Amino acid sequence: MSLFDFTLKELQEKLHNKEITVSDLVEASYDRIKEVDGEVKAFITLNEEAAKQQAKELDEKLGAEASILYGMPIGIKDNIVTKGLRTTCASQILDNLTDPLYDATVIQKLENEQTVTIGKLNMDEFAMGSSTENSSYADTRNPWNTDYVPGGSSGGSAAAVAAGEVFFSLGSDTGGSIRQPAAFCGVVGLKPTYGLVSRFGLVAFASSLDQIGPITRTVEDNAHLLQAIVGHDQMDSTSANVEIPNYSEALQQDVKGLRIAVPKEYLSEGVDPEVKEAVLAALKKYEELGATWEEVSLPHSKYAVAAYYLLASSEASANLARFDGIRYGKRTEKRVDMIDMFKESRAEGFGYEVKRRIMLGTFALSSGYYDAYYKKAQKVRTLIKEDFEKIFADYDVVIGPTTPTPAYKVGEKIDDPLTMYTDDVLTTPVNLAGLPGISIPCGFSSAGLPIGLQIIGKHFDEAMIYRTAYAFEQATDFHTKRPNLGGGQ
């Protein structure tokens, strides 16, 4: 067995029994990267020298009080700032940002847990995309079949975990960017409640929607990683000061009497028959476990994609204005005046999709169009939030597919942005409402590609989501399947 087939608990037991060392774990991670990342292309920047030195130090001071995450190799999405470690957002405009001056709050929290950062993971540029084909460095590939996309924008984060390159990773989710690649790659990805995890040090795409979250192989490991990064942060004005439960304790409860809502819109036209079949089979499994489910309606969810892309692009046009070639990042080498220097630097540094969204957002915020587009989208956002509130008055969780289809082939949709945008129809409502949601494996397509089950909970009720997800995981074996990559694992 590969070390990557063990859970965090099992690995910690092996560490304390002196069966393995932190150095063994880190070496295993880099060995696997050397073996398969030429195919997967999950990493932009590796942290090998520093990680191996840290591993040696951790081996020397391992004690009984070590946390569950102690010494565990982790990958970080490349829009989360890491002090002294290159942070690019997969964009040429930040290609030379090799030595950031501070750590994001989540990185500080992971350092407190003594995790080992293996490197920075590929993504769609500035988190704008659903396939990781918008990276300016490489197209990350799906470990289950490298002809297919891994999803996005956290495609590198999901692919690295699925390929066994790291034990877990951090991604960010603005409209499904953790859950969708988790579904495509057959791993567990949680988008926390807005405000539960600090956004300080996350390079902003859409500030009212972005959230950092964990990607792991199992629900239990996901709960451990979330536990480490949550909490109020004075450096983030949107950080919520709420009581944090012990998420692992929630895993001990069964789902007897659980009330599940299944929106009819989530299983309607446009959802692949194999995806629908897998979700219905999952619901049957919940029935066997003692839960009940009923069909409900989220009538305004059909407007979610349009509202999301207007709001997210509007916020992006404001957030990305800071990348101007002056203080940091790429500056054009052309001999031009100041105004043209701004224009040329941004034209050379930003990719096509980023430019498209900046232009869309600037248009939506412009005089004469603000009320017609941006303001109306905010009103739709409120209606979507109210739809969920009505359902959660009678139900514990909402369940449906994470994505309408399994992963699609590289190059299949990249030239058709409207089709790609509509693929987010099942994930964007969660971000617009600020709710938590998780994707867990629930089946495979006839082509052998993973299918994801999405579980949505009430605000700050991640414990209920974990309880629901863990019960299904323990009753099935989808999470134990591994891609046959590099000769298998």
Side-chain angles (χ1 to χ4, degrees):
M1 286 181 73
S2 163
L3 288 174
F4 290 88
D5 288 320
F6 293 100
T7 66
L8 288 176
K9 274 185 180 178
E10 291 167 341
L11 288 170
Q12 283 302 330
E13 186 176 341
K14 288 180 177 294
L15 277 177
H16 285 88
N17 291 339
K18 309 296 183 184
E19 296 175 43
I20 59 171
T21 64
V22 176
S23 294
D24 290 336
L25 295 173
V26 172
E27 287 285 354
S29 186
Y30 284 115
D31 286 347
R32 182 65 175 168
I33 289 169
K34 289 181 177 70
E35 181 185 9
V36 303
D37 206 57
E39 295 178 75
V40 178
K41 300 183 176 76
F43 283 90
I44 292 177
T45 304
L46 293 176
N47 188 40
E48 190 165 0
E49 185 178 343
K52 288 182 177 179
Q53 179 59 38
Q54 183 188 359
K56 290 179 183 176
E57 295 169 0
L58 292 176
D59 283 330
E60 292 172 2
K61 63 180 184 180
L62 174 63
E65 73 288 349
S67 81
I68 189 76
L69 302 182
Y70 187 94
M72 295 297 125
I74 185 170
I76 307 296
K77 188 176 180 180
D78 206 22
N79 61 346
I80 300 172
V81 177
T82 45
K83 184 177 180 179
L85 182 59
R86 184 172 176 232
T87 301
T88 70
C89 292
S91 176
Q92 289 301 304
I93 207 161
L94 289 178
D95 181 65
N96 62 0
L97 187 59
T98 57
D99 191 17
L101 300 177
Y102 67 97
D103 278 323
T105 296
V106 290
I107 301 301
Q108 294 172 3
K109 287 177 175 286
L110 289 175
E111 287 178 354
N112 292 339
E113 301 292 323
Q114 306 287 340
T115 61
V116 180
T117 298
I118 295 299
K120 304 299 287 291
L121 292 158
N122 198 22
M123 55 184 282
D124 286 296
E125 184 181 3
F126 282 100
M128 298 182 191
S130 304
S131 63
T132 317
E133 293 173 283
N134 291 323
S135 168
S136 71
Y137 295 101
D139 294 343
T140 298
R141 302 303 179 103
N142 193 316
W144 291 89
N145 186 329
T146 53
D147 291 333
Y148 289 76
V149 301
S153 62
S154 305
S157 299
V161 174
E165 296 178 295
V166 288
F167 290 96
F168 43 69
S169 65
L170 290 185
S172 68
D173 194 310
T174 306
S177 289
I178 287 174
R179 290 159 290 149
Q180 186 248 26
F184 280 7
C185 292
V187 292
V188 178
L190 176 86
K191 180 262 169 193
T193 305
Y194 183 79
L196 184 66
V197 177
S198 172
R199 290 186 301 110
F200 178 73
L202 173 68
V203 179
F205 163 16
S207 302
S208 73
L209 299 163
D210 299 337
Q211 266 294 274
I212 296 171
I215 297 176
T216 60
R217 280 190 164 176
T218 69
V219 173
E220 183 177 16
D221 287 356
N222 203 277
H224 287 307
L225 185 51
L226 181 68
Q227 197 81 54
I229 62 174
V230 295
H232 181 247
D233 180 17
Q234 292 183 340
M235 300 297 287
D236 176 7
S237 62
T238 61
S239 177
N241 193 359
V242 295
E243 185 177 344
I244 305 297
N246 185 322
Y247 297 117
S248 296
E249 288 181 358
L251 306 182
Q252 311 309 317
Q253 304 175 50
D254 59 35
V255 291
K256 289 177 182 174
L258 186 79
R259 299 166 299 168
I260 299 171
V262 181
K264 62 182 181 182
E265 293 83 2
Y266 283 25
L267 292 172
S268 60
E269 185 180 352
V271 175
D272 185 281
E274 290 185 322
V275 172
K276 184 175 182 179
E277 182 182 346
V279 171
L280 291 174
L283 291 169
K284 183 173 178 59
K285 178 62 68 176
Y286 275 114
E287 286 180 342
E288 294 171 5
L289 295 171
T292 59
W293 67 275
E294 293 178 346
E295 188 178 85
V296 297
S297 178
L298 291 170
H300 297 99
S301 62
K302 60 184 177 183
Y303 306 117
V305 170
Y308 166 79
Y309 278 98
L310 277 167
L311 295 174
S313 298
S314 297
E315 294 183 26
S317 73
N319 280 325
L320 270 62
R322 72 193 71 178
F323 301 104
D324 53 16
I326 295 293
R327 288 152 291 186
Y328 48 80
K330 180 181 177 65
R331 181 185 296 186
T332 184
E333 295 181 0
K334 295 179 181 177
R335 297 176 64 87
V336 290
D337 61 23
M338 186 180 73
I339 298 301
D340 284 340
M341 187 272 290
F342 291 156
K343 294 178 182 177
E344 291 292 340
S345 297
R346 289 165 65 80
E348 294 171 13
F350 289 139
Y352 191 74
E353 181 63 25
V354 173
K355 292 174 186 174
R356 181 184 1 246
R357 297 200 195 189
I358 289 173
M359 288 164 53
L360 174 61
T362 304
F363 174 79
L365 293 173
S366 61
S367 177
Y369 297 100
Y370 179 90
D371 287 348
Y373 295 106
Y374 182 79
K375 190 174 180 180
K376 189 171 288 185
Q378 289 285 29
K379 290 180 178 179
V380 170
R381 181 180 194 168
T382 300
L383 293 173
I384 290 170
K385 182 172 177 287
E386 290 174 348
D387 284 348
F388 277 111
E389 288 173 350
K390 289 174 185 174
I391 287 175
F392 281 126
D394 298 314
Y395 299 92
D396 299 306
V397 292
V398 172
I399 287 182
T402 308
T403 59
T405 67
Y408 44 86
K409 285 192 172 182
V410 173
E412 186 176 325
K413 297 186 179 182
I414 190 65
D415 295 324
D416 188 358
L418 288 180
T419 299
M420 192 172 282
Y421 292 174
T422 58
D423 285 343
D424 297 334
V425 64
L426 303 177
T427 53
T428 51
V430 174
N431 298 77
L432 290 169
L435 295 166
I438 197 170
S439 179
I440 59 174
C442 71
F444 290 87
S445 71
S446 56
L449 296 165
I451 294 171
L453 183 75
Q454 182 174 211
I455 304 168
I456 305 166
K458 302 173 185 176
H459 288 105
F460 302 107
D461 200 5
E462 279 77 3
M464 179 62 78
I465 289 179
Y466 280 135
R467 170 187 167 189
T468 307
Y470 186 72
F472 179 80
E473 184 183 78
Q474 294 305 295
T476 58
D477 65 352
F478 301 117
H479 66 289
T480 66
K481 308 295 184 185
R482 300 287 182 261
N484 184 19
L485 183 71
Q489 291 182 61

